[in-house]
Amino acid sequence: MLKKPLLIAASLLTLVAGPAAAQDRYQNRPPVVVSPDLTAPWVMQLGGQQPRARQVIYRQQIPQATRKQYYQQGQAAQPQVKRRVVNPLLQPANATRAQRPVKSKFDPQYLPQTVAYESKEKPGTIVIDTNNRFLYLVTGNGEARRYGVGVGKPGFEWAGAHKVTRKAEWPSWTPPQEMISREAAKGHYLPARMDGGPENPLGARAMYLGSTLYRIHGTNAPWTIGYAVSSGCIRMRNEDVVDLYERVKVGTKVIVI
């Protein structure tokens, strides 16, 4: 009769002691930690519909000896950044400008407007910033009238100082022989001469520069303003070149940079 109560008591002790012992074993075992920088590579390689790896931000470890240098007034000291010095006479280049013009589109930044412009040049001087596609007519008092222009395409860039030696309304166009040959090699055949008019690529007005083949002239393709597309000439919208034409005289100094 005593054996039965003893068996029952032993069973109860086993049930109570078993979970406690197991709990002690798991409490003493160190936790398993998987570093995010180990899991991220293989999770990313799975691709498809696999869950995206958790973004991990690593803080920069700052040596104890230099903490005081990094933390001043409760904030991290910012590193010194050297900035490129830009000529104040030039407008910053438009980094987002597309490489090719889109027909029928015109960027309003190239509309004529009066802007602040400090220059040592006398009023009446024309300064053409080919990098940023702007023509400035210096008016004095720290200002200039600015127009958008099209400039020479790669391989046809140039710079220098000249004077307006001739002006013409609705000028005729005589392409130079080298241009005729160059375009013929591309399958484009140019006429030996074209009378002035709306179809003429020189547009409504032209101002010839020194003894060069270059001109400031209008265009029947206003969407090319702001791009490098010409064979070296400076092109403007027809309405803009007419406005400039009325403001300058033969002998006007022109600086191309």
Side-chain angles (χ1 to χ4, degrees):
M1 295 297 293
L2 293 175
K3 290 183 179 182
K4 189 173 181 180
L6 289 175
L7 289 175
I8 294 174
S11 299
L12 292 175
L13 289 174
T14 302
L15 292 174
V16 173
Q23 184 175 5
D24 291 339
R25 288 198 304 271
Y26 287 110
Q27 286 180 347
N28 295 330
R29 180 176 296 179
V32 177
V33 178
V34 180
S35 174
D37 55 357
L38 293 178
T39 61
W42 67 261
V43 171
M44 294 297 291
Q45 291 175 14
L46 294 177
Q49 301 297 323
Q50 297 297 329
R52 183 175 297 177
R54 181 172 60 90
Q55 183 180 7
V56 181
I57 301 176
Y58 296 92
R59 294 184 179 180
Q60 180 182 7
Q61 297 298 322
I62 302 174
Q64 185 67 29
T66 59
R67 285 182 185 274
K68 188 174 182 181
Q69 300 174 6
Y70 279 82
Y71 293 93
Q72 298 176 355
Q73 299 179 355
Q75 296 182 347
Q78 297 296 322
Q80 296 296 321
V81 178
K82 293 184 178 180
R83 300 186 181 276
R84 183 170 61 89
V85 178
V86 180
N87 187 335
L89 298 182
L90 305 182
Q91 296 290 329
N94 187 347
T96 60
R97 184 195 297 121
Q99 296 301 312
R100 294 186 179 183
V102 178
K103 190 173 182 178
S104 78
K105 287 189 176 182
F106 178 80
D107 192 331
Q109 72 169 316
Y110 296 118
L111 291 171
Q113 55 188 292
T114 299
V115 298
Y117 189 77
E118 294 294 338
S119 175
K120 296 181 181 179
E121 302 298 334
K122 296 179 180 179
T125 302
I126 293 174
V127 180
I128 302 173
D129 178 2
T130 57
N131 183 48
N132 292 291
R133 323 299 201 235
F134 289 125
L135 180 152
Y136 297 89
L137 175 62
V138 179
T139 57
N141 299 322
E143 293 182 339
R145 184 164 177 79
R146 191 184 76 183
Y147 304 84
V149 296
V151 299
K153 56 191 173 184
F156 292 86
E157 307 97 333
W158 64 280
H162 296 282
K163 290 185 178 180
V164 174
T165 52
R166 185 165 73 90
K167 298 170 60 180
E169 299 183 11
W170 295 106
S172 61
W173 180 45
T174 303
Q177 186 57 47
E178 55 268 27
M179 179 183 288
I180 293 177
S181 300
R182 184 173 62 248
E183 294 301 317
K186 301 176 183 178
H188 304 152
Y189 298 97
L190 302 178
R193 183 182 181 280
M194 181 181 289
D195 291 333
E199 300 301 321
N200 192 301
L202 297 187
R205 302 288 187 273
M207 288 158 275
Y208 297 80
L209 305 179
S211 59
T212 71
L213 297 175
Y214 301 125
R215 297 155 290 229
I216 300 171
H217 64 78
T219 180
N220 50 22
W223 56 87
T224 62
I225 300 303
Y227 295 89
V229 290
S230 78
S231 294
C233 286
I234 306 301
R235 61 174 63 178
M236 307 174 67
R237 295 192 313 161
N238 277 332
E239 50 267 57
D240 296 345
V241 77
V242 169
D243 181 78
L244 180 65
Y245 186 94
E246 299 298 330
R247 295 172 185 268
V248 301
K249 300 178 180 179
V250 171
T252 294
K253 183 179 180 180
V254 179
I255 301 172
V256 180
I257 55 176

